[in-house]
Structures are given as structure tokens and as C-alpha cells.
Amino acid sequence: MTATKSSKFDRPVQQRLGLVALLAGTMLAGVPSAVLGQVAPAPAAAAPATPPAAQVAAPIKAINITGQQRLEPDTVLSYTKLRVGQPYTRESLDQALRDLFETELFADVQIRDDAGVLTIEIKENPVINRIVLEGNKRLKEDKIRPEIKLAPRQIYTRSKVRADVARIIELYRRQGRFAATVEPKMVQLDQNRVDIVFEISEGPKSKVRQINIIGNEKFKDGRLQGEMATKAARWFRLFSSGTSYDPDRLAYDQQKLRQFYLTQGYADFRVISAVAELTPDKQDFIITYVVEEGDRYKFGDVKVESEIRDLSGDSLTKLLPMKKSDWYNAKQVEDTVDQLNETAGLFGYAFADVSPDFNRSKENLTMGITFRIANAPRVYVERVDINGNTLTQDKVIRREFRLAEGDAFNSFAVKRSKDRINSLGFFQEKLDIEQKPGSTPDRIILETNVEEKSTGELSLSAGFSSLERFIISGSVTQRNFRGKGQELRTSVNYSSYSKSVEVGFTEPYLLDKNIAVGGDIFRRDLNSFQYGLNNDRNTTYEQTSTGFQLRAGVPLTEYMSLALRYGLSFDDVTLARSTYFTDDNGDGIRGNSGTDDCDPIQAGRYLCDAIGKRTTSSIGYSVIFDNRDNRIRPTRGQSLSLSQDFAGLGGSVKYIKTRLNATKHFNIGSGFIASLSAEGGYIHSLEKARFDRSNPTIEVERVRLTDRFFLGEPQMRGFAIRGIGPRVLRYYLQPGATAGEYVRVDSNDNRTDDALGGRMYYMARGEVEIPLGSGARELGLRPSVYVDVGAVAGIKDPITNGFAGYCTTAGTGTTTTTPAPGTPRNPGCPAGSTVSNNFEEVYTGDTLKPRLSVGFGVNWNSPFGPFRIDIAKALLKEPGDDDKLITFNVGTQF
């Protein structure tokens, strides 16, 4: 910034106005040129002062304008009433000064009188070159600049600067920073230009230091403060927005206090005063409420009187939630009015007027209430209007309505329509269906106001880790494709351990009929892994799946639907031949000959049984009951589904898989949303008996490894992927204290872990979503606490190797390796040989005993997309289970 001169905007206005001599009522001759705001006549011979009443107004002979830069002389003169030939007095000259200053175009004005020849000397206000903000850190410029009315190339005026300063300070006060100050400065430039600099000292955020309540006798201060949105600043409220002072919140808290006392029966309660005092250091506020509680009332006689013939007052009276002698509760009265209105709406009376008449008895301290339902015509839907849908087609919204033009109005159908539209997930949650009078008293217009939101989800990630090596994954889902409510999704994942490509499409209304159809095509390459020695991650089997699925769904009732599906997949499960196959030809290379087979010692018998190619052709159905208010973020309602899949419609795999799921959501008060869910499944094989590859006399589990149920992350938080259920632990034995003896060391660094899954599982979950303040809600934070319980089990005990190892003997020019025939204490290797790969396999975890975890999680709609983090602790687990403390997931939306 190039500064030539700096001055503050504090020059008194009084310097600009008034003539001291005139106010004294005298006229002086021979006075030199006056300072700012005064009129000086030309020098003349001294003469006695003449009273103003005796003065004779002389005409103006000429008017000269000097000092102008941008303004024309005629323009300057037009701001005054002075004209050549007209008489003038000192009063008229003083008024001309005032008129010129009131234009706020001039920094200085002088008028000189030379025997009727007036010279108006002006100094124009400078032109603003630019506006500069300094010191603003908490409020960015894009928040402050809209409040500044001054702008470059405008004429500078002091009043506008003062107004801008006041607006900036008010902006900071709205942010709770009452100690903020703004000092404007002007930097002189050439060509009568200036830079305006607002030097801002933001100061700390003004907190509420203390809340005092005077006059409360029935309830303690802490109980009443708990009802308020404003909270006293404490260390544990570090992230709370309620600790900053807000005048609007102060008024809101007075309403909250009154509402609280009215729900407790104190009908005469009032807040006498509410004062917020700023501490001398302008750091904090002390708020003091003075209240008068009054007497506590009970309900008197409560009844309903109805003028509508379809509504019986006596029947409705029996359904009222309040009874005589119950403590009076104003909130209960309001809710009853809403319920009676809703009841009238069920019978088609949309504009029924329900008004409570109160009969207060101060002697008996009772409040009698009569709910009067005025007569109203039955109403029919004239039309349905939809506003705000810029992308979504009208028909997508209209087909979710449970009412059509000409139908009798029904409040339940309107509410159900709102829930169904919300469940689409295409609009913001503040969706509203307004009920407006139609063209006649018995007609109603349903006006639906929606606000579109992002319905696309994009998830992209790339990285490098010691376990996965290079990772790249991406998925795109559009739940409102082309605004028709169609869903299109595709995903690609690539890493050292998994590769997949999936494409899916769903049409919810085929040919505008209530029939949903869809399909998926996929290719998945999965390298299953185990954590081996030193917690290294090793690939076990590789599974390649290629296939498709077709889906269709039809509604059976308003809340029940039927879904059908058919799927065909081709699976190929293999093991690395060079690692897990035998060396039958003795050339030292595993798996390089046609006679080489899976080595049960090296791979494990359970993995050898899993390899092979198979085709799965399955048909299935699901019966679903769902009356939740919102399928994406439900707050009430329940859902129940029964699913069965039959594999064997061709192909080489045959089974019946059954699953049952149930969830319930409900509001437990104060904004807390609770949910309970339970699910379970069972798979029954329809195949003939299967036998061990290396010992055909021993039967093995008929349900193949890749068809079983697995449990762990992400279904059960607190456990690793496939971290629960049957598994084979292979312990690599370590030399013991006695020579030739080997012992088991129970450590993750000395064992491998292979999850085998199960034929049956169950899982239940209880979760409570915790409400936060407005500041946290604006950030999109939704924390919750939960408890998960479940188990998976039920397979036939696999054939394990027990103790196994190898004896390596070095001979003349050759090295021979043979299985160790003994036990861990005595492997039985011949003298001179060494023992290698000495291990012991243990089958464990096959039990339906519950595994239990508790935890805390947070959903965050971050600028990078939806983010979820969970911290969960496994409290109940069985030997072999793998727990995991922290998990997270991230994506984005468009």
C-alpha cells in the first residue's frame, strides 16, 4: 500500500456549520477570510455595527466557483438556492453552506463576499480507490464485504464510513464477539484518491460466564439451566455453540423456561426480567433471570364437544391422554389439539377447527378444558402442486402420493405421502406438504415444496500400505439417474489382494407401473488372506467370480412387498501351486507336474477341500414389511424381511440359504433416536456327501467355504474382517527348554489364522443417536453409541494336521526332506537332521456363545464426503477371535 497521508474519521461536524458572528447578531467589517464554514466579506472601511433588522438585502452580482475537480460549476451551484440577481443575507449564505455539506460531496467549503460578488471555494471529497480489511481472521472477507456499502470509485463520505463500521461491529456481535473494535483509516493518494482501511481487532468470543435465576423455589438452578439453549462456559463444553452469548437465544430461553413450567402445571409462571450484563473486560456475560413461579394447577373436567357428525365427542373424550386430577400440562394440551385435528383429517375434514376452552379455578387450583371441534365440510383434493424440483421429474414425486385429485382428504395419507417422498432420498429433510384452501370450501390444494439435494455418491481413494501395496478404488452411484428415480451404480476396486468390477441398474417403476426391475453384472477376484508369522499378511486361496443377477419387485400392500431374483455365477477357487502343492516328481519344484496335488500339510486339509471350479445358479425371494418414516435416516417405524435363496436350478452347487432381518426405530425423547436390529441366517446343503481329498473315507463339510456365513467388520464393530467364528490356528512351535522338545507360544507372531465361516449366524444391535447443538448439526456431525452381539458357527469339524513338521537330512550331494513322524516333544527325526516347519493346528471358535462389543461412532458429512469412524471394544470373545479397535470409511457426494 502506498500511503501519503493518514487521518482518522473523527472531525467534529460542528466545524462545518454555523456562523458565530451571525449567532451573536452582529456584522463585522474588515474581517479576513473565514475558516471552514464561515463567510467573510471583503475588506471595507470601519462602520458602526448595524442590527440585522435594519440591514438591507443586497442583490448578488456574480457567483464564482473555485476548487472543483470533477463537478461542473453549475452542478455545485444547483445544490444551493443562491442565484445571480437575487438578494442575499448572511442567513442565506449560511444555509448555502449547510446545503453543500449535506450533499456529502465536499470535504471543505468557504464562501467569500466581495460587495455582492460571491466566491464559493470548495474542496471535493476524494474518490475511493479500494477497500482494505486488516486483522480479520475469524470472519473471512466474503462474510464482511457484503456488509460494506462503500465501494471503489464511489465518493468518500464520513457518514457512510461510520455506517460501515457499525455494520461490521454488529456482524461480529452476531458471532458473539462483543469486544470487537473497528478503526477506519484513510490513506491519501494522488489525484484526490484514497484507500479506506478498516483495522479490525476481533477480540475473544464473548462467553456466558454465569447464569443466575432469582425467584425459583420449586426447581433448582441446574434443572432450569438444563432446559435452556444457552449454557455457562465450562471446559467440558469446549465444542458447544451454546456457551456464546446471543440475544436471540436469550429470548428463546425465556420461552423455554415458560414451556417447562407450563408442562409442570405452573400456569401462572412468568419471567419478570432477563438481563445480560457485559463484564468490564468485555470478555463474558452474566445473565440474570427473575422469575415468578405461581401456583401449581391440576386438570379439572376435561371433555370433547364435536359439531361434526362423524366424530363423537363422548368417544373422543375417552381417548384423551389427560384425566381429571392429573397435573396440568400445556404441552399435552397442544398435542391433544394436533391429535384431534389429525383424527378429523382421517375422516376427510382437513379444515376442522379444534379450540380448547379453559376454565381456570384459582380457588381450587384446577384447569378445566373443553376441546370444541367446530363444524366443517368434508374436503376433497382439488389438485396436487409440486414446487422446487429442478432435476426430478414430477411423476417421480406424484407416484409416491397416496392421494390423487378428486380423492377424499385423509391426513394419514398425506403423512404417509411425505414419508414416502422423504424415503426417496432425493430431497432435503425439510420437505413439507402444505394444505391450502381450494376454489370452494370443500376443496383443498396439497402444495409440495421440495429442495433437491445431491443424489450421486462418488468414492475415490488411492494409496499405498505395507499390507495392500498399491490400492485404488472408485465407485459411482446415482440414485436419481436422469431425474427419473432410476439407480445406476458402478464400482472398480484394485489392490494386491482384491480386484472387482461391478455395474448395476434399477428401474423402480417399469413402464410407469409399480414394478421394480434391475440387474447387476460383476467380476470379482479375491485373494483371501491370513495373518502369518510376525503378523505378516499371506495369501491363502484365490477366488474368481463372474456372473450376473436379475431382480424384480412388486408391492403386496402399502407396507409389504415381494422381491424376486435370479443369479448365475462361475467361481474358480485355486491355491498357489508353487506354495501349497506337492512335489511328486522329486525335482524340488512344487506343483509343476500333472500328478502334483494340494499338500494338506502345507495348505491345510480345509483349504485343499475348497479348491475347484463350480457354477451356482440360484433363484430367490424376499418378503419385506417396512413402515419406517424414512428408509435412509429413519426415526420411527420398523422393518422385517424374510429371504430365501435356492441354488440348484442347474449348476454344480446346491443349497438353501435363509435369512431373517428385523429393525425398529423410535424416538426416546430430547432428540435421541434409538434403534434395535436383529438378523440371522442358515444355509443347508443339498449336495451329496463330500470326502477328504487325501483320505476318501473321511466325510467333510458339505457347504463349501465360499458359500458360508462370515462375521466381523463391518457387520460387527470391534472385530476384524471375518474375525468371529470357526477357524484353524496353526502354531509354529519353538524349541523348548529340553533338547529336542518343541512348545507352543501363543502369540500372533508365531501363528497363522484361517477363518472358515459357518452354516448359521445371528447378530443383534442396539444403537442410540445422540443429538448435538446447532453448531455441530451444521457441521453434519451425528454421533452414536451402540452395542453389537453375535456369533457364527455350525460347520463340521475340519480335519486338521495336529502336529506336523519336516525332517531335513543333508547327504552326499543331496538333501532329503521327509515328514516328521513324532510329536512336538519328540519329532522323531533321525540323528543329524534338522526340524523345520514344526507346527501344530488347532480348530477353535465353533460356538454360538455370544461375542459382544460396545463402542462409539461418528458420522460426519465432511467437505470430502461422508465419513464414518468407529471406536469399539470387544468385551466378550472366544479363543481365536480377532478384535479391532478403530475402523473408518470415507466417500463423497455429488
Side-chain angles (χ1 to χ4, degrees), residues 420-641:
R420 289 180 64 93
I421 296 173
N422 271 325
S423 293
L424 293 173
F426 303 161
F427 311 107
Q428 302 289 351
E429 295 181 3
K430 57 184 178 182
L431 179 145
D432 186 32
I433 300 179
E434 296 184 21
Q435 302 170 19
K436 294 187 174 181
S439 56
T440 59
D442 63 343
R443 293 289 182 268
I444 188 173
I445 298 173
L446 299 180
E447 184 175 286
T448 306
N449 299 302
V450 301
E451 182 180 345
E452 302 266 12
K453 72 175 184 180
S454 299
T455 56
E457 297 178 0
L458 170 65
S459 176
L460 296 172
S461 63
F464 183 87
S465 74
S466 59
L467 296 179
E468 293 279 1
R469 279 61 173 180
F470 183 72
I471 309 168
I472 183 171
S473 64
S475 64
V476 178
T477 302
Q478 176 53 263
R479 293 179 287 106
N480 190 14
F481 184 58
R482 299 189 299 169
K484 295 184 176 181
Q486 301 165 336
E487 181 176 334
L488 178 65
R489 57 191 176 277
T490 179
S491 65
V492 177
N493 293 276
Y494 179 88
S495 73
S496 300
Y497 287 90
S498 66
K499 305 173 185 64
S500 67
V501 177
E502 299 185 32
V503 178
F505 178 79
T506 300
E507 168 57 71
Y509 278 76
L510 180 64
L511 302 177
D512 292 330
K513 304 295 182 182
N514 200 356
I515 301 175
V517 296
D520 302 278
I521 302 175
F522 59 86
R523 168 62 185 260
R524 307 185 187 106
D525 294 344
L526 170 67
N527 295 347
S528 184
F529 62 87
Q530 61 177 202
Y531 286 101
L533 298 179
N534 300 317
N535 213 29
D536 290 336
R537 190 169 174 176
N538 303 318
T539 299
T540 52
Y541 66 86
E542 300 177 5
Q543 179 183 358
T544 300
S545 299
T546 305
F548 67 89
Q549 185 182 72
L550 301 177
R551 295 172 279 104
V554 293
L556 301 178
T557 66
E558 176 63 26
Y559 298 109
M560 187 172 290
S561 59
L562 173 67
L564 303 173
R565 56 188 168 272
Y566 171 77
L568 178 65
S569 65
F570 303 93
D571 299 315
D572 185 10
V573 179
T574 60
L575 293 170
R577 297 179 65 89
S578 60
T579 303
Y580 297 110
F581 274 56
T582 60
D583 178 19
D584 290 346
N585 58 8
D587 60 358
I589 302 176
R590 293 176 176 269
N592 69 336
S593 70
T595 60
D596 292 347
D597 199 359
C598 181
D599 186 349
I601 299 295
Q602 200 64 18
R605 296 175 184 271
Y606 45 90
L607 288 182
C608 290
D609 292 334
I611 63 176
K613 294 183 179 181
R614 58 185 63 92
T615 301
T616 303
S617 176
S618 65
I619 187 171
Y621 73 91
S622 295
V623 179
I624 305 166
F625 173 84
D626 191 345
N627 68 352
R628 294 174 296 173
D629 60 339
N630 191 314
R631 293 188 181 94
I632 299 175
R633 286 192 58 191
T635 60
R636 54 180 169 81
Q638 50 271 330
S639 66
L640 178 68
S641 67

Side-chain angles (χ1 to χ4, degrees), residues 717-754:
R717 294 155 291 192
F719 292 89
I721 298 175
R722 300 185 176 187
I724 295 175
R727 62 195 58 246
V728 172
L729 303 178
R730 176 178 287 193
Y731 294 93
Y732 285 86
L733 306 178
Q734 304 297 315
T738 304
E741 178 185 66
Y742 287 80
V743 296
R744 181 199 301 178
V745 178
D746 195 358
S747 167
N748 290 337
D749 294 338
N750 296 293
R751 76 178 192 188
T752 61
D753 183 343
D754 286 311

Side-chain angles (χ1 to χ4, degrees), residues 862-874:
S862 71
F864 313 102
F867 179 84
R868 171 81 186 189
I869 184 170
D870 287 287
I871 301 175
K873 174 67 174 178

